[in-house]
Amino acid sequence: MSGSSTIYRSSTTAPVNIAVIKYWGKRDTALNLPTNSSLSVTLSQKSLRTHTTASCSESYSGPDSLILNGDKEDIQSSKRTQACLKHLRSLRQQLEAKDTSLPKLSKLTLRLVSANNFPTAAGLASSAAGFAALVRAIADLYELPQSPQELSLIARQGSGSACRSLMGGYVAWRAGTKEDGSDSLAEEVASVSHWPQMRALILVVSAEKKGVPSTAGMQTTVETSTLSPARFKDIVPKRMQDIEKAIQERDFETFARITMQDSNSFHAICLDSWPPIHYLNDVSRAAMNAVETANRKAGKLIAAYTFDAGPNAVIYYLEENAHKVAGVIKNILPWTSGWEGEFGEAIPPNEFGSLEQKTLMTLKAGVSRVICTAVGGGPEKVENHLIDEQGNAIRD
Ligand code: DP6
């Protein structure tokens, strides 16, 4: 059945990803092209995901709209969202031109409704999962034949890190060299099943004040940091090769060393920027100390910390070492929310000795919640819609 009242809908969920080789710097701000390649681990959607429904109908009037977590967003003045919508519509138009029997969905108003399953207050960057879900849901609505890799070119224009959330497992974003950005896309390096034992513990740290947003911060770094050219040109390309090999060989020690080195290198160029950019605080440093203590006690690298544009710590470890890494944190923060769920409940109590008093007190005072998660898969099409059959938004 189709007619003027038909409500076309498609829904998807998309994951968060946390980089182990950081994207920090644009060589083209209009096309959102990076100064260097990056690599991330896609995290399980059981813990963190964005759920988005895309819908269009002849019965809708007015401009395209987006409701995010219950609030209407201004997408008309968001150049990034507009770039994604324009690109997706033109791909649909190409299909409609080839097959004139197809409904002209590209001409219809879009209604988008999106919700995260984690509190915004957690301070986790949600733009990656958000833009990945938006692009995937509209691509499905338009029945586009493009692969996740081709769609990653579109998501990249929404938010750079979003291109890596269109795939599961271990994902590289190739910086590319072309001026038009056509080779700046995401690529799966290894699937979840290749190395499913990877776990991630996120320590959510309450920041005293809001830090510099990443888009602005990375521009300051590109313009002023004297250390950054070496990072872009030599350091990251070598690390990309080495960490990809470590992932292929499931070599956690090399993976952990490079992850920590690259996080530190990223925060070093932030500090080297003018005005300097500070993202880490005492709680972040206590988390680093806890990881270093676990590694020292084990006599090898069993845990790796990494930090994005904020004080939250993400700690990677293998399932077999859960009690020696996450177990130590669970011991000192047993009442903190976030231990419930498949990955957190499975963490056995720690019998591995504890942390020095100062680290312990700082973590106790500064960690507001934890998120226990693991490597996970890419976006999933779902039948649970956030827009009803009449075209109205429904709450997740
Ligand atoms: C520190 O992807 O948020 O998380 O492209 O300007 O939207 P825009 O930036 P964004 O930057 C992410 C920076 C990072 C590192 C990373 O995820 O690689």
Side-chain angles (χ1 to χ4, degrees), residues 201 294 302 315 317-319 321-334 339 343-344 346-355 372:
L201 176 69
I302 58 166
I315 303 173
Y317 58 94
L318 294 178
E319 189 185 8
N321 291 317
H323 61 300
K324 297 181 186 175
V325 182
V328 177
I329 308 287
K330 197 176 183 180
N331 248 16
I332 59 172
L333 300 168
W339 297 110
F343 303 112
I347 298 168
N350 155 59
E351 289 150 22
F352 206 60
S354 98
L355 301 165
C372 297

Side-chain angles (χ1 to χ4, degrees), residues 17-26 32 38-40 80 125 127-128 131 156-162 164 173 213-216 218 266-267 279 307-310:
N17 72 75
I18 299 290
V20 290
I21 302 289
K22 304 293 187 191
Y23 148 53
W24 195 255
K26 300 177 201 285
N32 217 19
S38 54
L39 195 144
S40 57
R80 292 161 168 234
S127 68
F131 274 106
R156 186 202 75 222
Q157 297 171 58
S159 182
S161 53
R164 300 185 309 238
W173 172 12
S214 41
T215 307
M218 62 178 88
F266 151 49
H267 290 282
Y279 287 125
F307 300 85
D308 281 341

Side-chain angles (χ1 to χ4, degrees), residues 63-339:
D64 299 331
S65 63
L66 166 66
I67 295 176
L68 175 60
N69 295 326
D71 296 322
K72 203 163 186 291
E73 293 280 301
D74 174 18
I75 55 168
Q76 256 53 51
S77 53
S78 161
K79 277 194 192 145
R80 292 161 168 234
T81 310
Q82 290 305 324
C84 293
L85 299 186
K86 195 173 156 208
H87 204 141
L88 290 159
R89 276 205 165 94
S90 89
L91 292 174
R92 172 69 192 183
Q93 258 160 12
Q94 287 169 25
L95 285 185
E96 292 165 0
K98 260 192 243 150
D99 178 354
T100 50
S101 72
L102 289 176
K104 305 282 180 287
L105 302 190
S106 63
K107 302 263 182 297
L108 306 180
T109 297
L110 279 167
R111 274 188 198 169
L112 306 161
V113 177
S114 192
N116 297 327
N117 70 341
F118 50 93
T120 317
L124 293 164
S126 53
S127 68
F131 274 106
L134 178 138
V135 169
R136 185 72 259 181
I138 299 173
D140 289 345
L141 178 75
Y142 288 169
E143 298 184 335
L144 301 182
Q146 275 71 20
S147 65
Q149 196 173 67
E150 289 167 305
L151 294 177
S152 77
L153 287 167
I154 305 176
R156 186 202 75 222
Q157 297 171 58
S159 182
S161 53
C163 74
R164 300 185 309 238
S165 273
L166 280 167
M167 288 157 223
Y170 303 80
V171 184
W173 172 12
R174 308 290 176 201
T177 52
K178 293 189 183 159
E179 264 181 39
D180 68 355
S182 57
D183 57 352
S184 186
L185 40 73
E187 195 171 77
E188 185 190 277
V189 166
S191 64
V192 184
S193 60
H194 169 73
W195 206 8
Q197 296 83 3
M198 187 67 73
R199 296 287 174 273
L201 176 69
I202 306 177
L203 304 183
V204 179
V205 175
S206 26
E208 295 123 48
K209 54 177 187 183
K210 223 173 147 28
V212 180
S214 41
T215 307
M218 62 178 88
Q219 274 320 102
T220 304
T221 300
V222 170
E223 285 157 18
T224 63
S225 161
T226 53
L227 295 178
S228 67
R231 171 174 166 81
F232 302 152
K233 190 170 160 287
D234 302 315
I235 298 169
V236 168
K238 171 84 171 75
R239 280 190 190 142
M240 282 295 289
Q241 276 182 3
D242 294 349
I243 205 163
E244 282 181 51
K245 183 163 174 276
I247 292 167
Q248 297 306 346
E249 294 172 356
R250 301 184 194 87
D251 169 2
F252 186 83
E253 284 210 79
T254 305
F255 172 89
R257 175 178 53 77
I258 298 173
T259 296
M260 291 188 278
Q261 284 178 318
D262 201 72
S263 174
N264 292 335
S265 156
F266 151 49
H267 290 282
I269 61 166
C270 287
L271 206 53
D272 185 50
S273 306
W274 195 261
I277 305 166
H278 301 261
Y279 287 125
L280 307 182
N281 65 16
D282 285 350
V283 191
S284 319
R285 283 181 281 272
M288 288 167 131
N289 192 271
V291 166
E292 282 161 2
T293 305
N295 288 336
R296 206 169 38 247
K297 286 193 173 154
K300 59 178 186 173
L301 301 184
I302 58 166
Y305 55 74
T306 187
F307 300 85
D308 281 341
N312 292 342
V314 178
I315 303 173
Y316 285 115
Y317 58 94
L318 294 178
E319 189 185 8
E320 67 195 39
N321 291 317
H323 61 300
K324 297 181 186 175
V325 182
V328 177
I329 308 287
K330 197 176 183 180
N331 248 16
I332 59 172
L333 300 168
W335 314 117
T336 307
S337 75
W339 297 110

